[in-house]
Amino acid sequence: MRSASLNQSLLKWYDRHARNLPWRVSPEDRKLGEIPDPYLIWLSEVMLQQTTVAAVKDYFEKFTNAWPSVEDLAAADEEDVMKAWAGLGYYSRARNLKKCADTVARDHGGRFPEAEDALLKLPGIGPYTAAAIATIAFDRHAAVVDGNVERVLTRLTQIETPLPEAKSQIKDVMATLTPHDRPGDFAQAVMDLGATICTPKRPACGLCPWMSDCKVQNSSLAEALPRKAPRKEKPTRYGAAFVAVDRESGAILLRRRPPKGLLGGMTEVPGTDWSEAFDVSGAQEHVPFPSEWRICAGVVKHTFTHFHLRLTVLRAYAPQDILRMVEGTWWSPPAALDEEALPTVMRKYCRQRSTKWRLHGFTAGRLVPPRRSCCHQDQQRRTRAGHSSCPEAA
């Protein structure tokens, strides 16, 4: 492999075509002496785990405006950090983000360590993130391998071993290719090549600076790489969410999830555990307080990394003394819901509290079979007449 020729041609391409990203120092500015901010590199790399650049940009701006330095983030209240993270997913990252900021501020004087082995000792930093920070922020020689890099290098060298088994081979190739001069720019160049040229579908081989050296260029094999081991089918879990509403203000009753585990420390409405064996007919055993609970039409669907989730939503007006009845809860007015630390799945069923809900009876701990509403009868008439279905059901 002609490593020197490959990295020279790629860096030349990167100098002309580098993506403009808010956490990145451009090649032009690097030549003028500007150096990357390790805090911004660390923050962006944590956010980008399992998340796209497009989804991260607004969150990155929100965080850096609120907490411009690692010391500022360390001084922040954890609840405010969780609220700012809400919607970005993989919430253990937010908890570890705060722990890491605390550690860097307390034990390292607000400065990130430069070496990979020292970075690996920080909360929430694994091998990839440690290599990325060391290389991009401090120009240390390290093999940085993300999804884009995996795709580029499996095609360049025709590695047909399926992932994740191929990861060690890919890392060895990246370590060989990465130059000691400008290793950070090289790592970002391979990422940019994968994001803009060597894309999963229809790679633009004719524009690639590595085309003449690529073993699968302009072949049908390109789109097949990297190969991946067959995925196991995800199980489906079920549960119920209890949306309690204040009759006068429309506020929703919220509580905080336990600090550890899935969605730990985030905000939610009261609900049941999620399991494959859950049956909605037993939901009455879990209601947070006695009331006329009504089942809402439709099911909230969400997918986590390891399972699908189907939630039945039940709604009721809450008595005035509810905060004394249900410990650890608070009212959140409709205008404040966007500021709550609600993960995406919780926001889905909080949004369902609109007047478009079609409600079925759920009274006195007993499910009442749903009655056919006027809307349903009107829908039947419209269907027989050849018209579209009821807009409320859409």
Side-chain angles (χ1 to χ4, degrees), residues 59-104:
Y59 284 89
F60 180 83
E61 183 178 0
K62 182 195 301 184
F63 267 74
T64 52
N65 285 340
W67 306 294
S69 70
V70 70
E71 293 95 339
D72 294 323
L73 185 57
D77 184 81
E78 182 174 329
E79 175 67 10
D80 291 334
V81 175
M82 299 302 286
K83 286 180 179 179
W85 192 276
L88 196 54
Y90 299 93
Y91 295 96
S92 61
R93 294 182 297 168
R95 296 192 296 275
N96 285 328
L97 191 81
K98 182 65 170 68
K99 292 177 183 176
C100 186
D102 293 345
T103 302
V104 171

Side-chain angles (χ1 to χ4, degrees), residues 15 35 56 83 102 106 115 126 151 154 159 161 184 203 231 259 266 297 303 307 318 334 337 384:
D15 287 342
I35 60 175
V56 161
K83 286 180 179 179
D102 293 345
R106 182 185 63 246
R151 184 166 57 256
T154 53
I159 296 174
T161 306
R231 292 184 179 182
M266 300 300 288
T303 296
F307 66 93
L337 282 175
R384 285 195 296 268

Side-chain angles (χ1 to χ4, degrees), residues 150-151 154-155 158-167 170 216 220-230:
E150 288 176 344
R151 184 166 57 256
T154 53
R155 292 172 177 177
Q158 196 173 341
I159 296 174
E160 298 197 48
T161 306
L163 291 170
E165 185 182 348
K167 285 183 177 292
I170 297 168
V216 301
S220 59
L221 183 57
E223 287 193 8
L225 298 178
R227 299 195 187 280
K228 298 179 181 179

Side-chain angles (χ1 to χ4, degrees), residues 304-381:
F304 292 95
T305 305
H306 301 297
F307 66 93
H308 301 294
L309 178 64
R310 302 291 182 265
L311 282 177
T312 300
V313 181
L314 297 94
R315 177 182 181 272
Y317 288 115
Q320 292 182 346
D321 60 348
I322 187 60
L323 297 186
R324 289 192 290 106
M325 297 171 60
V326 185
E327 186 179 356
T329 58
W330 68 91
W331 286 115
S332 184
L337 282 175
D338 286 342
E339 304 303 320
E340 296 285 358
L342 288 163
T344 301
V345 62
M346 311 300 175
R347 292 183 184 276
K348 286 180 180 179
Y349 56 67
C350 281
R351 282 197 298 265
Q352 279 201 352
R353 61 170 296 278
S354 69
T355 55
K356 288 186 177 181
W357 268 358
R358 290 181 293 133
L359 304 178
H360 302 327
F362 185 74
T363 310
R366 181 171 60 88
L367 278 173
V368 178
R371 292 176 299 174
R372 294 194 173 188
S373 64
C374 294
C375 176
H376 184 275
Q377 294 168 358
D378 181 60
Q379 178 180 344
Q380 286 189 322
R381 288 194 296 268

Side-chain angles (χ1 to χ4, degrees), residues 103-244:
T103 302
V104 171
R106 182 185 63 246
D107 300 341
H108 298 274
R111 296 176 61 86
F112 280 86
E114 296 187 14
E116 277 186 89
D117 56 352
L119 287 163
L120 281 167
K121 296 177 182 178
L122 297 175
I125 292 185
Y128 165 76
T129 307
I133 297 171
T135 303
I136 299 171
F138 300 112
D139 257 341
R140 294 288 190 104
H141 187 276
V144 182
V145 181
D146 71 350
N148 285 316
V149 175
E150 288 176 344
R151 184 166 57 256
V152 171
L153 297 189
T154 53
R155 292 172 177 177
L156 175 70
T157 60
Q158 196 173 341
I159 296 174
E160 298 197 48
T161 306
L163 291 170
E165 185 182 348
K167 285 183 177 292
S168 60
Q169 292 177 260
I170 297 168
K171 189 169 185 178
D172 288 344
V173 173
M174 188 62 175
T176 300
L177 286 176
T178 302
H180 288 274
D181 180 40
R182 298 181 66 188
D185 281 349
F186 181 82
Q188 293 176 104
V190 183
M191 294 177 191
D192 282 11
L193 189 66
T196 62
I197 301 294
C198 195
T199 51
K201 301 295 182 183
R202 301 178 65 183
C205 296
L207 301 176
C208 180
W210 282 354
M211 181 179 69
S212 61
D213 292 277
C214 180
K215 292 188 176 181
V216 301
Q217 56 98 2
N218 286 324
S219 76
S220 59
L221 183 57
E223 287 193 8
L225 298 178
R227 299 195 187 280
K228 298 179 181 179
R231 292 184 179 182
K232 294 181 180 179
E233 186 175 350
K234 293 181 180 180
T236 300
R237 299 180 187 175
Y238 302 86
F242 303 104
V243 179

